[in-house]
Amino acid sequence: MSISQLARSVAESPTLALNEEARILRERGEPVINLSIGEPKNKAPITAILSSAAKLTSGNVKYTPADGLPSLKKAIIRYMEENYDRMVAPENVIVSAGAKQSIFNILFTILNPQDEVIILAPYWVSYPEIVKMCYGIPVIVTPEDGSFHPRMEDIEAAVSSYTKAIIINSPNNPSGCVFSDEFISQIVEFCERKKIYLIADDIYHKLVFDGIKAAPAYRFTNKDLESTMVIVVNGVSKLYGMTGFRIGWVVASRKLVEVMTNIQAQTSSCTSEILQAAAEGALMGMQNIVETLRLTIENNRNVVMQELSSFNGVRVIKPAGTFYVLPDFRAYVPSAVAKNSVELSKFLLKKALVVTVPGKEFGMEGHLRLSYSGSVKDITTGIERMKWALDTQAPNEIYIGDRKLIRDWL
Ligand code: PMP
């Protein structure tokens, strides 16, 4: 079978693949705990359900403009005003099938073959793959100091004449790190000066803890929408627990939005009208559901920290946002059980029926990403099982479902 070189170079999405593996095991009746997927458990907001149901029952479901329903774009404009203090025009907004497609559209629009995109490790798994799909070259920058916070000097050292864009994601998937205001201001200033696009993936921007705020990049530029290098990506997946509705958007200059619209018109025509109606319902409805979710997740973060702090040899940086934590398991890799984080993750699934994501997928070998977007019970039971599987000081017997298991490999 003939498959293009480019298509072959694109890796499978490890998080979606792990999620599928967990689903299959669960269908077989296995008591799997899934700490891999990043999606809140809450139901979609009632205003989202009602507005999409009304659209559906009208039976009048048609193409929308390629860049999105005007009424949804209006809701996004209001969201930008309320949350970013920015007045934007409808021509500055394009709605897509999730922030993932938004990011693809941006990169497809700005990259020439061999252009470089700077990606800050630890990074969301899809960034390098999407860059490659647009014939670009991902350039990974890893903080030298072992922290999860990027440093300007490392970024500046990686910039070349081919650098077209830098992607920032704060609060960060997978580390939960919220980048400092100082860093955001420096990188905005740098990108404006060097004419490098700064793609701010703000998909988790309100999921922040301990009273801190994630500074929006727009705050640090006085350029208008048509001349700034800042491009903002957001969506309803994470803050409203609407991952399955697949609605994201980009705010950028009119020129970029116009070209992205052409690309979208030639690929998917538009996003489903029903799902756009749902997103509009969420954005126009009561916003306290976002705060309720945030409080639940902050509590989960506290539980995860408490459980990990008594895990022998595991080092963990406290997440300040998102619903992920990226503990350092180098005490357990390489070891008798695993040579690397991929093997460690497989080992934990096989022995303890806990799904985790290997740090390697995020550019942080030796770590595992755990999601605490699920229930407190999943978090406590999941980590208890991990301790049982790895830590000689943990009791060597455990019940998994109704099976009593004995650790006999350490
Ligand atoms: N950016 C980041 C950092 C993410 O973690 C995700 C989802 N995992 C996305 C974008 C994509 O979100 P969506 O569901 O809107 O495509």
Side-chain angles (χ1 to χ4, degrees):
M1 200 189 301
S2 170
I3 293 171
S4 82
Q5 256 181 26
L6 177 64
R8 255 186 287 146
S9 78
V10 176
E12 174 181 40
S13 162
T15 40
L16 294 185
L18 282 162
N19 205 38
E20 182 58 12
E21 207 168 327
R23 195 188 60 76
I24 292 168
L25 281 168
R26 197 169 293 125
E27 253 174 27
R28 271 198 233 138
E30 296 288 354
V32 174
I33 292 183
N34 189 355
L35 299 181
S36 74
I37 195 75
E39 61 183 359
K41 281 245 180 311
N42 62 312
K43 292 241 163 70
I46 187 70
T47 47
I49 296 166
L50 290 177
S51 85
S52 52
K55 187 78 235 167
L56 181 60
T57 48
S58 77
N60 196 24
V61 182
K62 307 291 181 193
Y63 291 125
T64 74
D67 56 341
L69 270 179
S71 53
L72 171 57
K73 290 187 29 158
K74 228 186 217 170
I76 294 168
I77 290 167
R78 200 179 92 159
Y79 191 86
M80 290 305 294
E81 219 180 309
E82 281 175 5
N83 297 285
Y84 290 80
D85 243 342
R86 274 268 162 168
M87 288 294 293
V88 306
E91 296 80 9
N92 295 122
V93 180
I94 170 170
V95 177
S96 301
K100 205 178 234 181
Q101 192 187 21
S102 300
I103 294 165
F104 177 86
N105 284 343
I106 297 169
L107 293 170
F108 196 85
T109 298
I110 63 177
L111 294 184
N112 284 312
Q114 307 302 309
D115 275 349
E116 294 175 358
V117 178
I118 292 190
I119 294 171
L120 310 174
Y123 49 79
W124 181 42
V125 286
S126 295
Y127 295 144
E129 302 311 309
I130 302 176
V131 169
K132 284 192 273 169
M133 284 161 78
C134 298
Y135 293 94
I137 298 177
V139 175
I140 310 296
V141 174
T142 308
E144 291 287 323
D145 59 1
S147 77
F148 294 144
H149 197 292
R151 299 187 314 170
M152 272 319 290
E153 58 260 51
D154 299 332
I155 295 170
E156 283 178 41
V159 166
S160 77
S161 56
Y162 291 101
T163 306
K164 194 44 102 38
I166 300 175
I167 306 180
I168 53 170
N169 172 224
S170 167
N172 179 267
N173 173 9
S175 70
C177 179
V178 174
F179 300 167
S180 70
D181 290 14
E182 189 194 1
F183 171 77
I184 301 285
S185 101
Q186 285 172 349
I187 198 158
V188 170
E189 187 278 323
F190 179 79
C191 287
E192 297 286 29
R193 182 161 43 87
K194 294 274 191 184
K195 293 272 171 257
I196 294 170
Y197 286 113
L198 182 66
I199 303 169
D201 179 350
D202 285 355
I203 194 90
Y204 298 98
H205 75 138
K206 289 190 190 174
L207 286 180
V208 282
F209 317 133
D210 310 317
I212 63 157
K213 292 264 180 286
Y218 276 150
R219 185 186 301 159
F220 302 103
T221 180
N222 46 24
K223 294 215 176 350
D224 63 22
L225 251 282
E226 304 315 316
S227 55
T228 181
M229 301 307 286
V230 174
I231 300 173
V232 171
V233 179
N234 215 327
V236 293
S237 283
K238 311 290 177 171
L239 301 187
Y240 297 90
M242 289 173 64
T243 46
F245 286 78
R246 313 304 308 125
I247 298 290
W249 58 81
V250 178
V251 176
S253 68
R254 285 166 201 245
K255 185 70 208 163
L256 284 180
V257 169
E258 189 187 314
V259 180
M260 281 189 265
T261 304
N262 292 342
I263 290 158
Q264 190 154 281
Q266 301 294 6
T267 48
S268 59
S269 295
C270 62
T271 308
S272 159
E273 192 172 15
I274 299 169
L275 305 176
Q276 292 191 65
E280 186 185 333
L283 294 182
M284 298 306 283
M286 297 278 283
Q287 296 304 298
N288 58 353
I289 59 138
V290 178
E291 179 58 10
T292 307
L293 173 69
R294 193 196 69 73
L295 284 168
T296 308
I297 300 286
E298 180 162 4
N299 181 56
N300 287 4
R301 188 278 315 253
N302 294 341
V303 172
V304 102
M305 283 306 293
Q306 196 180 330
E307 296 301 315
L308 288 173
S309 64
S310 58
F311 201 142
N312 264 322
V314 171
R315 284 185 303 163
V316 53
I317 298 177
K318 192 177 183 179
T322 71
F323 30 63
Y324 308 105
V325 61
L326 191 64
D328 181 341
F329 277 85
R330 276 176 287 187
Y332 295 101
V333 281
S335 71
V337 297
K339 280 208 292 288
N340 53 43
S341 61
V342 176
E343 277 196 6
L344 183 64
S345 180
K346 280 191 187 147
F347 178 81
L348 290 169
L349 180 56
K350 188 163 156 232
K351 295 290 190 191
L353 288 177
V354 178
V355 192
T356 57
V357 190
K360 179 174 166 279
E361 312 292 357
F362 310 98
M364 280 284 155
E365 186 46 282
H367 295 64
L368 291 177
R369 189 193 74 176
L370 310 180
S371 162
Y372 46 91
S373 62
S375 67
V376 165
K377 184 149 191 311
D378 275 359
I379 298 165
T380 51
T381 317
I383 297 178
E384 188 200 352
R385 288 189 195 176
M386 290 167 72
K387 284 178 183 164
W388 165 75
L390 295 176
D391 182 357
T392 46
Q393 292 185 23
N396 85 329
E397 290 181 353
I398 198 170
Y399 274 95
I400 294 187
D402 50 14
R403 269 173 293 172
K404 184 174 171 184
L405 299 180
I406 297 171
R407 183 184 59 230
D408 58 5
W409 49 85
L410 291 178

